[in-house]
Amino acid sequence: MAYKYIDNYREQGARKKLVDELKKKGIEDRQVLEAIAKVPRHYFFDETFWNQAYKDIAFPIGEGQTISQPYTVAYQTQLLHINKGDKVLEIGTGSGYQTCILLEMGAKVYTIERQEKLYERTKLVLPHIGYKARFFCGDGSKGIATHAPYNKIIVTAGAPTVPDILLGQLTIGGTLVIPVGDSESQKMVTILKTGEHDYEKHVLDTFRFVPLVGERAW
Ligand code: SAM
């Protein structure tokens, strides 16, 4: 790969500043902040745009998609309450940055992306920079039944409703984090599975995601 992965004091300093900014915005989970301090976000950008990598903004990654804003990544990850060894399904691999944050926290990650070009690129990049996940290409709005159940499911694109099929792929005690709303804005929703057919739902803050496109989505 021609692209050079260099992580020196300048990038490490920028990550520290980003972590401070996220703390000020209300992110408290120490493990999440440590993961953000470790994962080189600039590796997910073209070298020309490295100066954008540690701003708290979403950024285009091609195919009309974005790498999520660091605050959004931290917010969703915090809600998952990751324990070491958790089996996590991520729907919407995109750049793979969120995947690396989960891996850095000790999760086993199954990640699915519907855009073939992004899937191909991310599947190559992650092992190259030292992160191992299971990659799938297809419609994640149906989950991945063959590897279920999962302790946690995170959806990184905005859905019109909660796809019931995903709840069926959670372990009891498991959590789904999913943005739900229309194309303009979505509320972050967490659903804790408390029994085979029992759930505890919380509707939280407003975000704006790219749409979840698929059979159980838009
Ligand atoms: N976590 C990613 C990151 O940090 O780069 C976020 C990527 S972006 C906000 C959401 C991704 O979800 C896009 O790459 C999009 O193609 C993908 N997506 C949308 N609908 C999907 C579906 N049904 N199954 C899998 N991926 C989907």
Side-chain angles (χ1 to χ4, degrees):
M1 211 173 276
Y3 189 86
K4 285 198 186 87
Y5 291 102
I6 302 163
D7 186 38
N8 64 25
Y9 69 92
R10 198 179 326 158
E11 288 79 26
Q12 289 159 17
R15 280 205 293 286
K16 268 195 183 150
K17 278 191 185 157
L18 175 62
V19 165
D20 289 341
E21 195 178 337
L22 296 178
K23 277 188 198 162
K24 280 189 196 135
K25 290 180 177 173
I27 303 299
E28 291 174 334
D29 187 311
R30 194 177 47 82
Q31 267 188 288
V32 172
L33 293 167
E34 280 175 9
I36 294 210
K38 277 192 190 152
V39 178
R41 190 168 184 260
H42 61 286
Y43 286 179
F44 303 87
F45 287 61
D46 187 279
E47 256 177 293
T48 331
F49 299 114
W50 274 15
N51 61 349
Q52 301 296 307
Y54 296 106
K55 293 183 179 169
D56 190 21
I57 53 169
F59 201 80
I61 53 170
E63 310 307 307
Q65 306 302 324
T66 53
I67 178 172
S68 299
Q69 183 182 342
Y71 175 76
T72 307
V73 171
Y75 186 99
Q76 285 198 287
T77 311
Q78 188 166 264
L79 292 172
L80 287 172
H81 300 291
I82 296 292
N83 296 308
K84 212 170 180 218
D86 270 353
K87 188 174 166 189
V88 179
L89 172 63
E90 179 194 25
I91 300 167
T93 314
S95 67
Y97 176 66
Q98 170 77 73
T99 320
C100 293
I101 295 292
L102 295 166
L103 291 168
E104 196 61 66
M105 292 172 74
K108 291 183 197 134
V109 186
Y110 292 70
T111 183
I112 182 162
E113 171 58 54
R114 66 179 283 276
Q115 297 274 358
E116 206 171 329
K117 277 193 185 162
L118 295 179
Y119 158 78
E120 292 292 351
R121 186 169 73 202
T122 303
K123 193 174 67 155
L124 279 183
V125 169
L126 262 58
H128 196 74
I129 62 172
Y131 291 99
K132 270 195 193 156
R134 301 277 303 267
F135 297 94
F136 300 84
C137 189
D139 177 9
S141 72
K142 297 181 283 185
I144 309 179
T146 43
H147 294 282
Y150 307 95
N151 303 108
K152 314 279 160 70
I153 300 179
I154 173 172
V155 182
T156 70
T161 53
V162 176
D164 283 351
I165 196 168
L166 297 184
L167 299 175
Q169 293 180 21
L170 274 178
T171 55
I172 294 174
T175 302
L176 166 68
V177 174
I178 180 168
V180 179
D182 58 25
S183 57
E184 293 303 307
S185 73
Q186 304 89 32
K187 292 279 186 195
M188 196 63 74
V189 173
T190 67
I191 300 182
L192 173 66
K193 184 165 177 170
T194 53
E196 201 52 61
H197 302 289
D198 298 314
Y199 301 97
E200 209 177 279
K201 180 177 172 181
H202 295 278
V203 179
L204 306 165
D205 296 317
T206 304
F207 290 83
R208 187 173 184 171
F209 281 82
V210 294
L212 183 74
V213 178
E215 205 176 301
R216 308 293 176 107
W218 292 106

